[in-house]
């Protein structure tokens, strides 16, 4: 099969293309209305179909005779645990937990929040919600109570499912006190909190709303799958927005199931029975699509890994997992490979393991730099494929489609457009740009199945953020260009969202927190280049007149403010005190200019700047504080 022909068919006749792909999954009621428009004139897929995601991931395979195949491998170097679950065993756990949720009063159409570490019960909770038509919202376990409270108020869960603790390398993090604090902060009060006691020594303060996870499962009957409409929200997943308020991306069920099955086969080239490992977290979109739902739909064994690429116990852990569990296809962020490379530059650990099982390595979550790609290919001679997608898309938009036709890899490019995504590069006025001209990365509507359906309870924001800038197109928020052969190069965000180790974080939200410090008159938070994490946030602060606060004290207090309200994932470490911030004559802070100065990039001085002398001042401050490209 030729990529060019396969892609062309998806763009010229998307309705027929995706109708054919929908036959790859089992429906309770096959859709007849393949492509239609909702009440806001937004294209939607398979409107009248009925199905159940949990059935597709578990029950179907059991009915087909694969109940004894291993579905999930739990590998936890931080607790020195390896446990394997067959499809039969997962289904029993999930069906009983689903029955327990029903006994707590949950019903189809309601919401639940899942706040758990990387343990099998996190996947069980997601699947149990899907089984009974409850929309789940997984919140990354590293987020602080303030962030959790925002999500509780937005999606209004009846139940929160959590665990007693998570583990950050060698540090126990008690989750239950964080959940209790979030509930206190939130206006909406969930009825119940289901708590899995991991018995690792973490404090578990008891509240009247608490329910023991194990007792709930043990005392419940298995419950069958509940059919839902194709457009039924499977989950809401929050992603950073430029306003500082997270956006609840709504994912449908039918289009998503179709897209995931398609992507496992045609993008990742994974065959049923094989072991597929996405080294991510269930709190991110990768965890939803390629730890839980995608591999299980495709009858792959998936790995839930509770550890880090280094220090659990060392930089060999990824290679140990691949060799021990015979992983065929792997997916991780470039940050992980950079961390391993830093600890083991000559690849000595790699030589200790038989990695002959590994066929393809996929990289995503941030742009992969050429040096990291080349290091990987030097030490592991298999295709290392950078690809690009977003929380909003739910599955890859640009890739080398390994299940269609292997195309030459161009370092620096994420590959070519995936079938279904009619990607264009537009200029400021909406004109289509020629090859090698940088502009806005957009996708012509309709988007393919499985992409965002809406923003939870905020359709106006959905249209304003993604559809209104270029009518007829989805605006990705990223800049980039294509070359003469159709390879796409993503150059980065064009808004105030930064990418820290594959995690999208809002600088606007951080600015609000920094500005709340009593000594801060005004501030700007930007993302600057970091060799390991891709980007890290930097706060530039103008202090109030008469404030005699020491730099060290201000930095310490601001860093802790951000950590307390967002969490350690924010990675804010550096605070620079400046006399003033560069602004346009109308008062807008020139954040792009600040990023260019910090990263040592060439830039043109904007004609709108109020005073050019400030550039030399900022450079001097960066040099004094050892920031970015001014590191000594």
């Amino acid at each position: 099969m030729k990529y060019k022909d396969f892609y062309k068919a998806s763009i010229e006749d998307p309705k027929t293309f995706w109708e054919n792909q929908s036959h790859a999954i089992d429906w309770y009621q096959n859709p007849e209305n393949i492509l239609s428009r909702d009440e806001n004139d937004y294209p939607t897929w398979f409107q009248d179909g009925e199905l159940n995601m949990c059935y597709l991931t578990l029950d179907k395979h059991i009915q087909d005779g694969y109940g004894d195949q291993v579905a999930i491998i739990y590998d936890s170097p931080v607790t020195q645990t390896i446990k394997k679950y067959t499809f039969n065993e997962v289904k029993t756990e999930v069906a009983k937990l689903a029955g327990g949720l029903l006994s707590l009063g949950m019903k189809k159409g309601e919401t639940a929040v899942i706040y758990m570490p990387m343990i099998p019960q996190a996947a069980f909770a997601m699947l149990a919600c899907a089984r009974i038509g409850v929309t789940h919202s997984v919140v990354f376990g590293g987020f602080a109570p303030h962030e959790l409270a925002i999500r509780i108020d937005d999606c209004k869960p009846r139940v929160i499912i959590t665990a007693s603790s998570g583990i950050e390398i060698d540090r126990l993090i008690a989750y239950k006190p964080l959940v209790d604090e979030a509930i206190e902060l939130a206006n909406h009060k969930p009825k119940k909190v289901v708590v899995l006691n991991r018995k690792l020594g973490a404090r578990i303060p008891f509240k009247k709303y608490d329910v023991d996870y194990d007792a709930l499962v043990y005392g419940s009957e298995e419950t069958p799958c509940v059919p839902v409409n194709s457009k039924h929200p499977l989950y809401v997943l929050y992603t950073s927005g430029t306003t500082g308020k997270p956006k609840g991306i709504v994912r449908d069920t039918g289009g998503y199931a179709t897209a995931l099955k398609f992507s496992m086969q045609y993008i990742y080239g994974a065959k049923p029975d094989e072991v597929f490992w996405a080294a991510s977290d269930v709190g991110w979109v990768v965890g939803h699509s390629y730890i839980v739902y995608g591999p299980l739909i495709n009858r792959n064994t998936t790995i839930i890994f509770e550890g880090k690429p280094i220090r659990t116990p060392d930089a060999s852990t990824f290679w140990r997992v691949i060799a021990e569990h015979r992983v065929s296809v792997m997916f991780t962020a470039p940050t992980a490979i950079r961390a391993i490379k830093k600890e083991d530059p000559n690849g000595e650990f790699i030589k200790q393991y038989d990695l002959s099982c590994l066929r393809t390595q996929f990289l995503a979550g941030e742009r992969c730099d050429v040096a990291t790609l080349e290091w990987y290919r030097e030490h592991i001679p298999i295709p290392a494929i950078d690809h690009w997608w977003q929380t909003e898309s739910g599955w890859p938009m640009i890739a080398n489609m390994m299940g269609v036709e292997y195309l030459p890899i161009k370092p620096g490019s994420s590959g070519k457009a995936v079938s279904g995504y009619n990607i264009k590069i537009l200029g400021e006025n909406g004109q289509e740009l020629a090859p090698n001209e940088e502009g806005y990365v957009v996708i012509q509507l309709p988007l393919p199945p499985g992409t965002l359906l809406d923003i939870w309870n905020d359709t106006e924001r959905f249209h304003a953020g993604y559809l209104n800038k270029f009518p007829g197109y989805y605006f990705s928020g990223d800049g980039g260009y294509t070359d003469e052969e159709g390879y796409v190069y993503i150059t980065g965000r064009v808004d105030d969202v930064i990418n820290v180790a594959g995690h999208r974080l809002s600088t606007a939200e951080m600015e609000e927190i920094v500005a709340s410090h009593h000594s801060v008159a005004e501030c700007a938070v930007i993302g600057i280049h970091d060799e390991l994490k891709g980007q890290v946030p930097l706060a530039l602060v103008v202090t109030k007149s008469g404030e005699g606060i020491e730099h060290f004290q201000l930095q310490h207090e601001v860093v802790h403010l951000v950590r307390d309200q967002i969490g350690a994932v924010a990675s804010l470490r550096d605070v620079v005190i400046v006399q003033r911030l560069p602004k346009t004559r109308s008062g807008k802070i020139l954040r792009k200019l600040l990023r260019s100065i910090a990263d040592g990039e060439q830039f043109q001085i904007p004609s709108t700047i109020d005073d050019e002398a400030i550039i030399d001042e900022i450079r001097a401050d960066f040099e004094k504080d050892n920031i970015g490209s001014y590191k000594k």
Side-chain angles (χ1 to χ4, degrees), residues 604-617:
Q604 287 188 321
I605 299 174
S607 59
T608 54
I609 194 168
D610 57 357
D611 183 357
E612 292 182 16
I614 196 171
I615 294 173
D616 291 329
E617 294 175 16

Side-chain angles (χ1 to χ4, degrees), residues 536-599:
V536 291
L538 168 69
L540 290 91
V541 167
V542 178
T543 56
K544 291 178 181 175
S545 179
E547 289 282 341
I549 190 167
E550 292 289 333
H551 181 206
F552 173 78
Q553 182 185 349
L554 180 65
Q555 177 165 298
H556 175 78
E557 291 174 3
V558 166
V559 165
H560 277 271
L561 266 177
V562 173
R563 176 183 283 266
D564 288 344
Q565 295 195 49
I566 296 180
V569 69
S571 295
L572 179 67
R573 298 285 182 274
D574 291 315
V575 177
V576 176
I577 296 178
V578 296
Q579 294 304 306
R580 53 188 178 142
L581 292 166
K583 298 177 182 177
T584 63
R585 292 182 180 89
S586 63
K588 182 180 179 182
I589 296 173
L590 293 163
R591 291 174 178 81
K592 185 175 181 181
L593 174 67
L594 289 168
R595 286 195 296 269
S596 297
I597 296 171
D599 289 340

Side-chain angles (χ1 to χ4, degrees), residues 98 100-114 125-126 128-138 151-152 154-161 188-192 226 228 232-236 238 250-251 253 456-457:
L101 294 176
L102 289 175
S103 74
L104 298 180
M106 296 223 69
K107 51 186 182 290
K108 178 178 172 181
E110 292 190 315
T111 57
V113 160
I114 299 169
M126 294 165 71
C129 289
R131 193 171 188 85
I132 56 174
V134 166
T135 299
H136 64 68
S137 184
V138 181
R151 289 152 174 79
I152 290 170
D154 197 60
C155 75
K156 297 179 171 50
R158 173 181 281 270
V159 171
I160 296 177
I161 306 169
H188 173 80
K189 306 299 180 185
K191 301 295 184 187
K192 297 291 181 183
V226 173
V228 299
H232 177 80
L234 176 68
Y235 64 78
V236 177
Y238 288 88
V250 180
R251 189 82 63 220
T253 302
W456 187 256
N457 291 332

Side-chain angles (χ1 to χ4, degrees), residues 26-31 46 48-52 227-230:
D26 281 21
W27 301 76
Y28 294 139
Q29 179 178 307
N30 288 313
F46 315 129
D48 55 346
E50 284 196 353
L51 73 168
N52 182 280
V228 299
N229 178 265
S230 177

